[in-house]
Short mmCIF file of all heavy atoms in Angstrom, two decimals:
data_model
loop_
_atom_site.label_atom_id
_atom_site.label_comp_id
_atom_site.label_asym_id
_atom_site.label_seq_id
_atom_site.Cartn_x
_atom_site.Cartn_y
_atom_site.Cartn_z
N ASN Q 181 21.16 -18.03 13.77
CA ASN Q 181 21.74 -17.66 12.47
C ASN Q 181 22.63 -16.43 12.62
O ASN Q 181 23.71 -16.34 12.04
CB ASN Q 181 20.62 -17.41 11.47
CG ASN Q 181 21.12 -16.99 10.10
OD1 ASN Q 181 21.64 -15.89 9.93
ND2 ASN Q 181 20.94 -17.84 9.12
N TRP Q 182 22.15 -15.48 13.41
CA TRP Q 182 22.87 -14.21 13.61
C TRP Q 182 24.23 -14.43 14.27
O TRP Q 182 25.22 -13.78 13.91
CB TRP Q 182 22.00 -13.29 14.47
CG TRP Q 182 22.41 -11.86 14.50
CD1 TRP Q 182 23.43 -11.27 13.81
CD2 TRP Q 182 21.79 -10.81 15.25
NE1 TRP Q 182 23.49 -9.92 14.10
CE2 TRP Q 182 22.49 -9.62 14.97
CE3 TRP Q 182 20.71 -10.77 16.14
CZ2 TRP Q 182 22.16 -8.39 15.55
CZ3 TRP Q 182 20.37 -9.55 16.70
CH2 TRP Q 182 21.08 -8.37 16.41
N VAL Q 183 24.30 -15.38 15.22
CA VAL Q 183 25.54 -15.59 15.97
C VAL Q 183 26.22 -16.91 15.62
O VAL Q 183 27.11 -17.38 16.34
CB VAL Q 183 25.27 -15.53 17.50
CG1 VAL Q 183 24.71 -14.18 17.90
CG2 VAL Q 183 24.33 -16.65 17.95
N ASP Q 184 25.82 -17.51 14.50
CA ASP Q 184 26.45 -18.75 14.01
C ASP Q 184 26.30 -19.90 14.99
O ASP Q 184 27.28 -20.55 15.39
CB ASP Q 184 27.93 -18.52 13.69
CG ASP Q 184 28.14 -17.49 12.59
OD1 ASP Q 184 27.30 -17.44 11.67
OD2 ASP Q 184 29.13 -16.75 12.64
N ALA Q 185 25.07 -20.14 15.41
CA ALA Q 185 24.78 -21.25 16.32
C ALA Q 185 23.45 -21.88 15.94
O ALA Q 185 22.63 -21.27 15.24
CB ALA Q 185 24.74 -20.77 17.77
N GLY Q 186 23.21 -23.10 16.38
CA GLY Q 186 21.95 -23.78 16.11
C GLY Q 186 20.85 -23.32 17.06
O GLY Q 186 21.14 -22.78 18.14
N ARG Q 187 19.60 -23.57 16.69
CA ARG Q 187 18.47 -23.18 17.54
C ARG Q 187 18.55 -23.88 18.89
O ARG Q 187 18.25 -23.27 19.92
CB ARG Q 187 17.15 -23.53 16.84
CG ARG Q 187 15.91 -23.05 17.62
CD ARG Q 187 14.64 -23.60 17.04
NE ARG Q 187 14.58 -25.05 17.21
CZ ARG Q 187 14.23 -25.66 18.34
NH1 ARG Q 187 13.93 -24.95 19.41
NH2 ARG Q 187 14.19 -26.97 18.40
N GLU Q 188 18.95 -25.14 18.88
CA GLU Q 188 19.03 -25.89 20.14
C GLU Q 188 20.05 -25.27 21.08
O GLU Q 188 19.84 -25.21 22.30
CB GLU Q 188 19.39 -27.36 19.86
CG GLU Q 188 18.35 -28.14 19.07
CD GLU Q 188 18.43 -27.88 17.57
OE1 GLU Q 188 19.38 -27.16 17.14
OE2 GLU Q 188 17.56 -28.36 16.85
N SER Q 189 21.17 -24.81 20.52
CA SER Q 189 22.21 -24.18 21.34
C SER Q 189 21.71 -22.87 21.94
O SER Q 189 22.00 -22.56 23.11
CB SER Q 189 23.47 -23.92 20.50
OG SER Q 189 24.02 -25.13 20.03
N ILE Q 190 20.95 -22.09 21.16
CA ILE Q 190 20.39 -20.84 21.67
C ILE Q 190 19.39 -21.14 22.78
O ILE Q 190 19.39 -20.48 23.83
CB ILE Q 190 19.69 -20.06 20.54
CG1 ILE Q 190 20.73 -19.61 19.50
CG2 ILE Q 190 18.94 -18.86 21.10
CD1 ILE Q 190 21.78 -18.67 20.02
N ASN Q 191 18.55 -22.14 22.58
CA ASN Q 191 17.56 -22.52 23.58
C ASN Q 191 18.24 -22.93 24.88
O ASN Q 191 17.82 -22.54 25.98
CB ASN Q 191 16.70 -23.66 23.04
CG ASN Q 191 15.58 -24.04 23.97
OD1 ASN Q 191 15.77 -24.85 24.88
ND2 ASN Q 191 14.41 -23.48 23.76
N ARG Q 192 19.32 -23.69 24.75
CA ARG Q 192 20.06 -24.15 25.94
C ARG Q 192 20.73 -22.98 26.66
O ARG Q 192 20.70 -22.90 27.90
CB ARG Q 192 21.09 -25.19 25.51
CG ARG Q 192 21.85 -25.82 26.66
CD ARG Q 192 22.58 -27.09 26.22
NE ARG Q 192 23.45 -26.86 25.08
CZ ARG Q 192 23.21 -27.33 23.86
NH1 ARG Q 192 22.12 -28.03 23.61
NH2 ARG Q 192 24.06 -27.09 22.87
N ALA Q 193 21.33 -22.06 25.90
CA ALA Q 193 21.99 -20.91 26.51
C ALA Q 193 20.98 -19.99 27.20
O ALA Q 193 21.26 -19.47 28.29
CB ALA Q 193 22.78 -20.14 25.45
N LEU Q 194 19.82 -19.79 26.59
CA LEU Q 194 18.77 -18.99 27.23
C LEU Q 194 18.32 -19.64 28.54
O LEU Q 194 18.10 -18.96 29.54
CB LEU Q 194 17.58 -18.82 26.29
CG LEU Q 194 17.78 -17.85 25.11
CD1 LEU Q 194 16.61 -17.94 24.15
CD2 LEU Q 194 17.93 -16.41 25.62
N ALA Q 195 18.19 -20.98 28.51
CA ALA Q 195 17.80 -21.71 29.72
C ALA Q 195 18.84 -21.52 30.83
O ALA Q 195 18.49 -21.39 32.01
CB ALA Q 195 17.61 -23.19 29.40
N GLU Q 196 20.12 -21.48 30.45
CA GLU Q 196 21.18 -21.25 31.44
C GLU Q 196 21.08 -19.84 32.02
O GLU Q 196 21.26 -19.64 33.23
CB GLU Q 196 22.54 -21.46 30.78
CG GLU Q 196 22.84 -22.91 30.41
CD GLU Q 196 24.15 -23.05 29.65
OE1 GLU Q 196 24.81 -22.00 29.41
OE2 GLU Q 196 24.52 -24.19 29.31
N PHE Q 197 20.80 -18.86 31.16
CA PHE Q 197 20.65 -17.48 31.65
C PHE Q 197 19.48 -17.38 32.62
O PHE Q 197 19.55 -16.65 33.61
CB PHE Q 197 20.42 -16.54 30.46
CG PHE Q 197 21.68 -16.20 29.69
CD1 PHE Q 197 21.63 -15.38 28.58
CD2 PHE Q 197 22.91 -16.69 30.08
CE1 PHE Q 197 22.77 -15.05 27.87
CE2 PHE Q 197 24.08 -16.37 29.39
CZ PHE Q 197 24.01 -15.55 28.28
N ILE Q 198 18.41 -18.11 32.32
CA ILE Q 198 17.24 -18.11 33.22
C ILE Q 198 17.62 -18.76 34.55
O ILE Q 198 17.32 -18.23 35.63
CB ILE Q 198 16.07 -18.85 32.56
CG1 ILE Q 198 15.57 -18.09 31.33
CG2 ILE Q 198 14.93 -19.04 33.57
CD1 ILE Q 198 14.56 -18.86 30.50
N GLN Q 199 18.29 -19.92 34.48
CA GLN Q 199 18.68 -20.64 35.69
C GLN Q 199 19.64 -19.81 36.54
O GLN Q 199 19.59 -19.86 37.78
CB GLN Q 199 19.34 -21.97 35.30
CG GLN Q 199 19.68 -22.86 36.49
CD GLN Q 199 20.23 -24.21 36.04
OE1 GLN Q 199 20.37 -24.47 34.86
NE2 GLN Q 199 20.52 -25.06 37.00
N ASP Q 200 20.49 -19.04 35.91
CA ASP Q 200 21.46 -18.21 36.63
C ASP Q 200 20.86 -16.90 37.14
O ASP Q 200 21.56 -16.10 37.77
CB ASP Q 200 22.65 -17.88 35.72
CG ASP Q 200 23.48 -19.12 35.38
OD1 ASP Q 200 23.35 -20.14 36.08
OD2 ASP Q 200 24.23 -19.07 34.38
#
Side-chain angles (χ1 to χ4, degrees):
N181 179 290
W182 195 3
V183 299
D184 298 326
R187 185 190 66 80
E188 296 81 5
S189 297
I190 295 297
N191 184 274
R192 184 165 55 250
L194 286 171
E196 290 175 359
F197 282 178
I198 294 170
Q199 185 175 1
D200 293 342

